[in-house]
Amino acid sequence: MARTVLFLAFCSVCVPFAEIASSAQTADAASPPAYKHPQLPVDQRVEDLLGRMTPAEKARMLAGSGWMESFPNERLGIPAIKMADGPMGVRNWAGSSAVTNAAATSPVLTTAFPASIGMASSWDVDLVQAQGRVIAQQVKALGRDMILAPTVNIQRTPLWGRNFEGYGEDPYLTARMGVAYIRGVQGEGVIPSVKHFAANNEEFERHRIDETIDLRTLHEIYFPAFRAAVEEAGVWGVMNAYNKVNGQYCAEDPFLLTETLRKRWGFKGFVISDWGSTYSTAGTINAGMDLEMPGGEPMRNWFARPATQEAGNGAGWLTEEKVLAAVAAGEVRQSAVDDNVRRILRVMFTAGLFDAPHVGGGEVDTPEQRAVARTAATESMVLLKNEGGLLPLDGRKTRSVAVIGPGAAVARTGGGGSSLVRPKYAVTPLDGIKEAAGAQVQVSYALGVAMPGEDATMDARAALDEAVALAARSDVAVVVVGYSFKLESEGFDRPSMDLPAGQDGLIQAVAAANKNTVVLVAAGAPVTMTRWIHDVSAVLYAWYGGQEAGHAVGDLLFGIAVPSAKLPVTFPARIEDSTAYGHYPGENLHVAYGEGIYVGYRGFDKRKVEPLFPFGFGLSYTTFEYSGLKVSKPTVKKGETVEVSLQVRNRGTRAGVEVVQLYLRDAEASLDRPEKELKGFRRVKLQPGQTETVAFTLDKSAMSFFDPGKKDWVAEPGAFEALVGASSRDIRLRGTFGLVE
Ligand code: BGC
């Protein structure tokens, strides 16, 4: 996993960054005057340009010119597509993860949003769309055209190093989030690239691993978010994954790129390779992969590194010379190359890159943009435990708060790798708590235990003793634990679900000293909590909260905001309970997805395993009552819809938001089906005592499963049960209907 090695040597999220302007990173001063014929329809402009291009000019368009740019064509006025990484904000684009995460390399300072797993915990599609919009505004302000996001790969195992980048374990929730993000981005005329198609669910040997996944599982679990991106959001760009699926590299798999993406779903955009994921010229073009990245000198330098080779990357296959040679040899038809160019140009015209180039220069990280990040952080943190109603803390009664732990005085804004954003500032939990507590409350800090790999200036025993003594003399102890971007990252998987060394012990020691102990976890996936969960009063799962995480923590602990987030993944008590256990990471470069469609709660339900916290779970400072479920008709004909409605009432004394979830059970089916599957959700904001009606419409797609025999989705006649609840294991209301021919 060579690419990760280099960036372990620095810390780029620990301190607020100085603002460094970089003119080379903004507008491309040398851009040629663009070809412009706005009066012509897009397809005509594409054909017009194509007709003027030489075979060499066409071939050149199939690979990047640099690390993050496609080839411009000055003669014809075709601009380069200028890219930047996402999804948690706009990341510096000057080189590989190893280079751009290094502290001194032309940092581009942008708004750091919560990790996508936190965004999914909000179950707030409007918020995610706003995030997409704001990120796209910053892409344009920096003179770029494309954001390499969103990541919609499913959380299959708690150990995947990139879990924080995705939207969790459920295909429906992931699809809703992905579609919202893409709509936000495309609405600004910026090109997204939904990634990584398909089934990039582990970092272990990600350039070589061959995954065996059956057709039904692909369609029901790993494809839906990509399908929705195409069919609902009309996404302009898709990035292929590094791994192999059923024996084929994703960049050269006609089943994925042509049969599924284009023919089955009607994708009209272009496919971009992941950085160094190509292994052939003819195979890649013929499969339907359009644009190979990176390219040019930066690609050659990077590819020449032993670490790149060792990792198993492939690159440099769609260079002009190689494409022309493949056409001359009859391995690739000229019409296939024309199609590649056509698809790239069509997106460029649709996004407005010819008519209104993104010259850059706008403001980045405006107060409005920061406000979106702050709302997002507040809506992303999940309250998992609140014994005796310790939270919210009362600023008038609490005299002292001890803030302890390796995550307390450091802003852990995101996980590591290509998604890591450098913000202009970042609020630590300690500072956020101080601000929310006000001058009356004494807020003190102790490290307790150092994060592995970070400077331990104090003797370990002394650090622990100091933290325990502080906890003992404080009214409340808040222990902030979790990972760092060096320990949870793209490029490698976590070795276990356990917290980093010393953190369990710290929580246990603090909890023994102070019964009012609150644990805050900053991580991108579930961690083992059974060693201390019963000893502490409260747990707030903060994920990586972006630059505003500290404010959100302060607001939530002191009740300035009320928690509303719910888990987008099942929290197993132990790794052995997780649904991919025994089918991960594979052997001899091969992994069989043996759990099939039974990923996450689908598997916990099937095997009747009790999770530590179920999918969809999260507490509030108020409680909600569900009543009056109605199903609009007892029987539904194929092609008709059915409505499920109910009332939700806020029974408490505080305003709050409830995420109401609708699951569907197919009671009679010719194939084995999950006990329940998420098919709808709503965020409902309710004042104390207020009641609101929530309604869901179910159509054929909600009732269907993928029949591998028919190679299609089918909705079989029979009984269905609608389950409405506050989590996947807290079903409050049930109703039935029958599907008839
Ligand atoms: C990652 C992609 C990323 C690309 C460019 C790859 O290593 O897998 O998600 O967009 O690098 O930085």
Side-chain angles (χ1 to χ4, degrees):
M1 305 294 130
R3 288 227 266 148
T4 60
V5 177
L6 278 166
F7 70 73
L8 300 184
F10 51 82
C11 172
S12 63
V13 282
C14 313
V15 285
F17 300 106
E19 201 169 336
I20 305 168
S22 165
S23 55
Q25 301 269 340
T26 54
D28 182 352
S31 298
Y35 165 97
K36 281 196 172 86
H37 289 282
Q39 68 287 358
L40 291 181
V42 164
D43 282 341
Q44 251 173 284
R45 281 187 275 175
V46 169
E47 294 311 319
D48 180 35
L49 261 184
L50 203 65
R52 299 178 197 207
M53 293 171 85
T54 65
E57 285 174 323
K58 291 176 184 170
R60 200 175 308 143
M61 281 197 69
L62 271 49
S65 65
W67 191 259
M68 281 276 167
E69 290 80 24
S70 67
F71 255 110
N73 180 326
E74 307 201 357
R75 186 180 78 84
L76 294 170
I78 304 174
I81 306 174
K82 298 184 241 64
M83 310 167 193
D85 258 314
M88 273 78 99
V90 187
R91 174 225 190 202
N92 182 20
W93 52 84
S96 74
S97 303
V99 176
T100 51
N101 287 345
T105 313
S106 317
V108 171
L109 306 174
T110 57
T111 307
F113 290 89
S116 305
I117 191 74
M119 298 302 296
S121 306
S122 75
W123 301 59
D124 189 342
V125 284
D126 296 335
L127 176 73
V128 174
Q129 186 158 340
Q131 178 205 19
R133 178 168 39 79
V134 166
I135 288 173
Q137 286 165 356
Q138 297 191 5
V139 168
K140 292 194 290 187
L142 292 160
R144 312 303 288 181
D145 311 309
M146 179 163 177
I147 183 92
L148 306 175
T151 302
V152 298
N153 295 118
I154 293 293
Q155 180 161 159
R156 176 177 178 248
T157 163
L159 304 182
W160 181 35
R162 290 181 95 165
N163 274 329
F164 61 88
E165 259 189 71
Y167 295 117
E169 73 188 22
D170 183 71
Y172 179 83
L173 178 60
T174 301
R176 300 319 344 126
M177 298 290 133
V179 164
Y181 188 102
I182 292 162
R183 285 189 174 140
V185 169
Q186 291 190 173
E188 291 290 318
V190 166
I191 308 169
S193 81
V194 63
K195 65 191 188 182
H196 310 80
F197 190 57
N200 180 178
N201 312 109
E202 58 187 70
E203 293 301 276
F204 174 75
E205 287 288 1
R206 65 176 174 163
H207 303 288
R208 297 188 182 92
I209 198 86
D210 182 8
E211 305 165 352
T212 300
I213 315 175
D214 67 79
L215 196 60
R216 179 175 180 200
T217 300
L218 282 172
H219 279 282
E220 292 193 13
I221 304 292
Y222 299 102
F223 283 172
F226 291 99
R227 179 183 172 198
V230 173
E231 292 183 348
E232 296 178 48
V235 72
W236 296 336
V238 172
M239 185 190 288
N240 71 249
Y242 280 129
N243 46 274
K244 293 180 186 170
V245 173
N246 295 325
Q248 291 265 28
Y249 269 115
C250 292
E252 50 191 44
D253 189 349
F255 162 72
L256 288 178
L257 305 185
T258 299
E259 276 170 49
T260 307
L261 196 56
R262 295 208 167 86
K263 293 198 181 144
R264 189 182 272 271
W265 301 336
F267 177 56
K268 295 279 182 289
F270 67 85
V271 177
I272 188 169
S273 73
D274 198 347
W275 268 231
S277 67
T278 47
Y279 298 87
S280 65
T281 305
T284 300
I285 297 175
N286 292 337
M289 215 294 294
D290 301 301
L291 175 58
E292 179 192 61
M293 291 298 291
E297 199 59 26
M299 177 274 289
R300 284 190 289 277
N301 293 340
W302 166 74
F303 199 61
R305 287 192 210 162
T308 311
Q309 309 277 333
E310 221 170 87
N313 280 96
W317 289 95
L318 300 198
T319 57
E320 181 187 328
E321 315 76 63
K322 285 190 183 162
V323 172
L324 288 174
V327 173
E331 293 163 4
V332 169
R333 289 181 194 195
Q334 181 59 46
S335 62
V337 177
D338 288 1
D339 280 344
N340 295 134
V341 175
R342 207 171 256 129
R343 294 191 283 246
I344 297 169
L345 285 176
R346 194 187 294 127
V347 169
M348 292 173 72
F349 279 116
T350 309
L353 266 46
F354 288 85
D355 305 329
H358 301 148
V359 290
E363 209 187 323
V364 169
D365 201 36
T366 62
E368 292 75 24
Q369 296 172 344
R370 290 178 181 178
V372 176
R374 182 164 181 167
T375 305
T378 310
E379 287 191 12
S380 73
M381 298 183 185
V382 193
L383 183 63
L384 293 178
K385 181 172 181 184
N386 191 16
E387 209 167 74
L390 173 65
L391 300 179
L393 302 174
D394 186 337
R396 286 159 310 182
K397 291 196 193 128
T398 313
R399 281 159 304 143
S400 53
V401 179
V403 187
I404 293 167
V410 178
R412 312 267 176 205
T413 59
S418 61
S419 66
L420 189 61
V421 171
R422 292 163 181 282
K424 292 183 181 175
Y425 69 92
V427 185
T428 66
L430 178 62
D431 286 342
I433 290 171
K434 277 187 186 156
E435 207 177 304
Q440 321 295 56
V441 185
Q442 199 200 338
V443 178
S444 315
Y445 164 73
L447 175 66
V449 64
M451 183 69 81
E454 289 178 12
D455 251 7
T457 41
M458 218 177 177
D459 165 71
R461 184 75 242 174
L464 185 63
D465 289 348
E466 183 196 57
V468 171
L470 178 65
R473 62 174 188 272
S474 304
D475 289 346
V476 176
V478 179
V479 191
V480 192
V481 296
Y483 283 75
S484 71
F485 77 95
K486 299 176 195 172
L487 299 177
E488 187 171 18
S489 171
E490 175 184 340
F492 57 93
D493 290 335
R494 288 192 296 159
S496 84
M497 229 171 70
D498 292 351
L499 281 169
Q503 297 187 8
D504 284 337
L506 174 66
I507 299 169
Q508 286 160 347
V510 169
N514 189 321
K515 63 177 179 22
N516 295 329
T517 293
V518 182
V519 176
L520 239 96
V521 186
V527 300
T528 314
M529 294 195 258
T530 44
R531 298 189 187 104
W532 45 260
I533 188 84
H534 301 295
D535 306 328
V536 303
S537 298
V539 178
L540 183 67
Y541 221 79
W543 311 110
Y544 299 115
Q547 67 189 36
E548 285 288 341
H551 280 146
V553 165
D555 288 351
L556 291 166
L557 293 187
F558 281 90
I560 300 162
V562 176
S564 59
K566 302 222 181 183
L567 293 178
V569 286
T570 305
F571 273 43
R574 348 166 272 159
I575 187 66
E576 289 83 352
D577 293 344
S578 64
T579 47
Y581 187 77
H583 308 288
Y584 160 88
E587 284 175 345
N588 299 325
L589 305 180
H590 176 253
V591 57
Y593 281 31
E595 74 285 9
I597 58 170
Y598 294 101
V599 174
Y601 66 87
R602 289 165 170 79
F604 279 76
D605 284 353
K606 175 147 185 86
R607 297 175 305 152
K608 308 220 177 312
V609 175
E610 197 55 40
L612 183 63
F613 296 108
F615 175 85
F617 174 78
L619 299 168
S620 169
Y621 295 150
T622 182
T623 53
F624 302 93
E625 188 178 78
Y626 290 55
S627 66
L629 183 125
K630 283 202 191 83
V631 178
S632 61
K633 42 186 135 168
T635 51
V636 191
K637 285 207 191 95
K638 274 193 187 170
E640 286 180 355
T641 59
V642 57
E643 196 171 281
V644 177
S645 62
L646 64 141
Q647 279 79 49
V648 193
R649 191 171 84 90
N650 181 347
R651 289 200 315 194
T653 53
R654 307 182 67 111
V657 172
E658 173 68 328
V659 178
V660 179
Q661 299 153 46
L662 168 72
Y663 298 84
L664 199 59
R665 187 171 86 87
D666 185 354
E668 294 164 40
S670 57
L671 293 187
D672 197 30
R673 295 207 66 184
E675 217 168 86
K676 65 172 97 68
E677 294 188 284
L678 183 72
K679 297 296 173 188
F681 59 86
R682 293 274 186 287
R683 276 176 65 87
V684 200
K685 179 159 191 190
L686 294 170
Q687 297 303 320
Q690 192 187 346
T691 301
E692 203 165 285
T693 299
V694 180
F696 300 94
T697 303
L698 294 170
D699 61 12
K700 186 180 161 213
S701 70
M703 298 165 216
S704 303
F705 61 88
F706 192 88
D707 185 336
K710 298 195 172 81
K711 291 198 168 35
D712 209 353
W713 290 89
V714 291
E716 279 182 351
F720 285 84
E721 194 175 13
L723 313 165
V724 177
S727 88
S728 62
R729 289 281 171 117
D730 183 8
I731 300 302
R732 307 275 182 90
L733 303 169
R734 290 163 191 268
T736 53
F737 62 89
L739 178 67
V740 293
E741 291 285 1

